[in-house]
Amino acid sequence: MHYRAQRMGRFDSTRSIDVPGLEHSVVALPWGVLRGAFGPSDGSAGVGSNVPSAISVLRHAPLYLKVPEEIDEAFGVLEQHAIRHGVVYPVALTIVPFLFDIVRRGSPVAERTTDLIAEYASAAATLEPRLAARLREVIADQAVAICSWFGIHDRAAAALAVHVPALRAPFFAQIATLPRLAPEVLLALIELGSPPPHALALALEVLDGSDVTISARMCAAAFLAQFGEQTPALRTRIDAALPPSAPAALRAFVGKLWLPTVKRPVVAPKLYAAEVVFAGAKLVLVRAGTKSVTLPWADAPVGRGDVIRVGITAHGQPKLALITEPDGSVTVVDF
């Protein structure tokens, strides 16, 4: 970091600083009285707290592309001093207008910058209520800019709609005009409700597409599990696209900017004739065709060589076992 801003007098961090000459105002602000995770934000607590220098580096990111460590260090300040361990600090209110200005310039670090704005918004509730409301207001004032992010920074735009209620009306108005909805938008609509009519058809195209990523297909499946017509055929297709790891995978997909709701449909498992190859005190190993499946079955009344029927999900998980008793009755064991 290449300079430290001078500390000045008392400053109200809840005021908007979207003022003329914003690109030149960074050094004039009283960063020493604006608090972050490490204390003052003027660098007096160490380079990790030097917010004005970090903003300057990002504002001039094209000049720093050949020294990416400088860019990473700048983001490190804004990602660890203004927000830390899920807690956002008051200095974030002063940083946010500068971040919007950086994005507006068409910066090469715009994607990471928009995600940072969304990360601040996601933690707004950790501020005292007055400051939390002000942070959301500062972000909502940029509704036009945020709506222009669709197709470029969909993840951040969707996250901001989730966390800033005042953005939802322009969010819905904008996506109603889009011929394509990004997977992140489909996922956010689960939290927001009331998807536009064309969203269902677009989600079905993604679910059945041959050239889509696994994450995109999971987003479409999670959306359709919430809003699609739950026919047996659709439930089966959704189930195939949503493995048990889907909730964690989708949270990572959206950069942990929100916690996606993922409800996997209840689908009857496919039944296989299976031969017992091992029966222990706590588990049973069976072979169903070419598959070897472990059943979490303590004290199972079966032995090696017995043939039973086993219900297995599309993702290879055992759900039940059926044993035909000597009298012809069937005992069902649910895992």
Side-chain angles (χ1 to χ4, degrees):
M1 300 293 176
H2 60 283
Y3 70 83
R4 177 180 297 170
Q6 204 173 18
R7 280 195 269 182
M8 298 176 64
R10 187 172 180 81
F11 178 75
D12 181 1
S13 65
T14 68
R15 292 190 313 173
S16 170
I17 53 175
D18 188 12
V19 295
L22 176 65
E23 65 275 16
H24 303 298
S25 65
V26 62
V27 296
L29 292 171
W31 298 103
V33 299
L34 298 172
R35 311 297 291 185
F38 304 128
S41 300
D42 60 351
S44 59
V47 294
S49 65
N50 197 334
V51 171
S53 181
I55 291 173
S56 181
V57 168
L58 298 183
R59 191 179 66 191
H60 299 100
L63 301 178
Y64 287 89
L65 291 179
K66 293 183 179 179
V67 280
E69 62 273 11
E70 286 283 340
I71 292 177
D72 285 340
E73 185 180 348
F75 272 114
V77 173
L78 304 184
E79 293 169 347
Q80 299 174 36
H81 176 66
I83 186 169
R84 189 168 181 81
H85 302 313
V87 175
V88 68
Y89 289 82
V91 69
L93 278 76
T94 305
I95 293 172
V96 162
F98 290 103
L99 297 182
F100 277 109
D101 181 65
I102 289 167
V103 176
R104 194 175 298 115
R105 294 166 179 261
S107 171
V109 297
E111 182 173 2
R112 192 168 175 181
T113 303
T114 58
D115 280 353
L116 183 57
I117 296 169
E119 187 178 357
Y120 289 172
S122 73
T126 62
L127 290 164
E128 63 176 89
R130 177 178 67 95
L131 295 182
R134 183 57 185 148
L135 176 58
R136 296 186 184 105
E137 181 182 352
V138 168
I139 292 172
D141 286 344
Q142 300 291 331
V144 173
I146 293 167
C147 285
S148 73
W149 294 354
F150 288 107
I152 308 170
H153 309 301
D154 296 281
R155 176 172 60 189
L160 288 172
V162 170
H163 296 299
V164 182
L167 286 174
R168 293 176 186 173
F171 172 88
F172 279 111
Q174 183 67 18
I175 65 174
T177 69
L178 300 177
R180 174 187 173 276
L181 297 181
E184 298 92 336
V185 173
L186 292 174
L187 203 59
L189 284 169
I190 299 173
E191 317 305 322
L192 298 172
S194 302
H198 71 311
L200 288 170
L202 294 175
L204 284 168
E205 288 179 10
V206 175
L207 183 66
D208 297 331
S210 59
D211 58 349
V212 299
T213 66
I214 293 174
S215 294
R217 199 183 310 278
M218 285 195 292
C219 289
F223 173 87
L224 291 165
Q226 184 78 15
F227 299 112
E229 184 180 356
Q230 298 302 302
T231 63
L234 180 59
R235 286 200 302 270
T236 298
R237 289 153 63 198
I238 292 171
D239 181 56
L242 285 179
S245 60
L250 289 177
R251 189 176 185 199
F253 179 67
V254 297
K256 300 182 180 179
L257 295 179
W258 75 91
L259 183 62
T261 299
V262 181
K263 295 181 179 179
R264 300 177 65 227
V266 177
V267 177
K270 185 175 180 180
L271 287 176
Y272 294 86
E275 179 184 356
V276 177
V277 296
F278 172 80
K282 295 184 178 180
L283 57 85
V284 173
L285 180 65
V286 300
R287 182 177 294 111
T290 60
K291 301 178 181 179
S292 292
V293 181
T294 300
L295 311 178
W297 194 357
D299 301 321
V302 296
R304 181 182 175 88
D306 288 349
V307 176
I308 60 176
R309 284 184 294 166
V310 176
I312 303 175
T313 70
H315 305 288
Q317 291 187 311
K319 295 297 292 181
L320 51 85
L322 289 78
I323 305 173
T324 302
E325 305 292 351
D327 62 1
S329 63
V330 177
T331 298
V332 179
V333 180
D334 189 350
F335 302 118

